[in-house]
């Protein structure tokens, strides 16, 4: 199986697609396409405009950049969430 992490984000508390909805969709996609989800990174009620305040995103990118990462793929519900 291809090892992957999921990234979920919503911009506001009132956003239409909750983090849970995004996670379920990513899990369904992963199961149907041969990915093993290791974990999820998330940012809740944080704008995607600037990465400085997106702690989950920053941690994911730092982990992906170091030589000891345990995944090769990042799955997102929608590219706008990335």
């Amino acid at each position: 199986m291809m090892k992957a992490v999921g990234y979920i984000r919503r911009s506001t508390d009132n956003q239409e697609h909750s983090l849970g909805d995004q996670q379920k969709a990513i899990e369904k996609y992963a199961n149907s396409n041969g990915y093993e989800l290791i974990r999820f990174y998330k940012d809740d009620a944080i704008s995607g405009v600037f990465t400085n305040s997106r702690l989950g995103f920053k941690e994911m990118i730092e982990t992906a950049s170091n030589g000891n990462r345990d995944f090769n793929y990042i799955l997102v519900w929608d590219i706008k969430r990335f």
Side-chain angles (χ1 to χ4, degrees), residues 2-3 18 21 23 28-29 36 47 58 67:
M2 299 175 285
K3 294 187 183 242
S18 73
D21 292 341
Q23 184 168 335
K28 182 178 179 182
Y29 177 85
E36 176 187 355
S47 170
K58 286 173 53 175

Side-chain angles (χ1 to χ4, degrees), residues 3-81:
K3 294 187 183 242
V5 295
Y7 178 68
I8 55 179
R9 180 183 65 81
R10 65 180 179 159
S11 301
T12 68
D13 289 333
N14 297 321
Q15 191 163 357
E16 181 179 336
H17 295 284
S18 73
L19 296 178
D21 292 341
Q22 292 178 42
Q23 184 168 335
K24 286 177 190 173
I26 291 169
E27 288 170 342
K28 182 178 179 182
Y29 177 85
N31 289 333
S32 297
N33 291 281
Y35 291 95
E36 176 187 355
L37 280 170
I38 305 296
R39 69 185 154 276
F40 278 86
Y41 293 92
K42 71 176 181 176
D43 289 308
D44 192 10
I46 297 176
S47 170
V49 175
F50 301 105
T51 58
N52 290 345
S53 59
R54 295 168 60 190
L55 301 181
F57 182 81
K58 286 173 53 175
E59 180 184 357
M60 179 183 65
I61 296 302
E62 287 172 15
T63 301
S65 299
N66 76 35
N68 297 320
R69 73 175 178 266
D70 56 354
F71 61 91
N72 291 315
Y73 302 93
I74 299 171
L75 304 179
V76 294
W77 173 75
D78 185 322
I79 195 66
K80 296 174 195 170
R81 301 295 93 209

